[in-house]
Amino acid sequence: MKFYKSFFVAYYYCKLKNQRAIGRMALFLSKKESSKMLNKEIIFPIYSKILGKYLKEEMKKKGLSQYDISFAYSKEDIKCIDNRTVRGILKGSRNMTVDSQTGFQESLGIKTPKDLFFPNEQFCLSLISEILEVLKTDSHFKKSSLRR
């Protein structure tokens, strides 16, 4: 029963499209955990990889390259994002900065940061299913009350 409760809490946060949902989910899952490794260290890479995959698909649909994302154009100025940063974000190994967020938003035509970080329901459902799979299989969560 507790396992399904965590699923609905995660789904609720994704439905709200809250940028800090992943951190909140990790905190929710770690309330009764006593381990050196934080749950955020396990869950955030899952989110980053799924986001990178989504961004790659959107870039492919619009015919954009990494180079196109590297330059964020706005009315005031032009900001250049390092190509390695873009590549790292697409691989899921690097966090987004404000500049890279702006670059992806403007290049892909995404209106709000919420739509960038939690783009659609399918994205949220795949994220939740990946997290639930890790909860079931990862040894870090072996003593978790969510597994019982």
Side-chain angles (χ1 to χ4, degrees):
M1 186 67 170
K2 290 181 181 182
F3 189 73
Y4 292 108
K5 180 182 174 187
S6 65
F7 173 80
F8 288 116
V9 168
Y11 184 74
Y12 170 75
Y13 281 125
C14 277
K15 279 298 265 188
L16 289 178
K17 294 185 174 185
N18 189 332
Q19 287 181 345
R20 298 181 185 174
I22 300 303
R24 288 182 181 172
M25 281 173 31
L27 288 174
F28 170 77
L29 296 173
S30 67
K31 281 185 178 178
K32 295 188 178 180
E33 299 291 327
S34 58
S35 177
K36 291 180 183 176
M37 179 181 275
L38 297 174
N39 294 337
K40 185 177 179 181
E41 294 172 0
I42 296 172
I43 293 172
F44 192 75
I46 296 169
Y47 169 76
S48 297
K49 287 180 183 175
I50 293 173
L51 180 63
K53 183 180 174 184
Y54 168 77
L55 293 173
K56 280 183 201 175
E57 290 170 2
E58 287 299 307
M59 287 170 57
K60 190 174 183 179
K61 283 180 191 175
K62 298 192 180 199
L64 298 174
S65 68
Q66 290 180 8
Y67 181 78
D68 297 327
I69 302 292
S70 296
F71 293 98
Y73 300 98
S74 65
K75 292 179 182 176
E76 293 83 33
D77 60 352
I78 298 173
K79 294 181 182 178
C80 183
I81 306 162
D82 188 23
N83 238 354
R84 293 175 294 187
T85 302
V86 174
R87 194 175 327 119
I89 291 168
L90 295 175
K91 284 183 180 179
S93 61
R94 189 163 185 150
N95 291 336
M96 273 203 202
T97 62
V98 173
D99 289 341
S100 59
Q101 172 191 333
T102 303
F104 277 102
Q105 273 186 252
E106 291 178 2
S107 299
L108 296 173
I110 298 172
K111 295 181 181 179
T112 65
K114 290 180 183 179
D115 291 334
L116 174 67
F117 292 113
F118 293 99
N120 55 38
E121 193 168 326
Q122 180 61 36
F123 176 89
C124 292
L125 291 175
S126 65
L127 175 63
I128 291 168
S129 65
E130 289 283 329
I131 290 172
L132 290 176
E133 187 61 34
V134 168
L135 282 173
K136 291 191 297 188
T137 58
D138 195 289
S139 63
H140 172 74
F141 297 101
K142 188 175 183 178
K143 295 180 181 179
S144 173
S145 59
L146 298 171
R147 263 188 155 173
R148 296 181 199 152

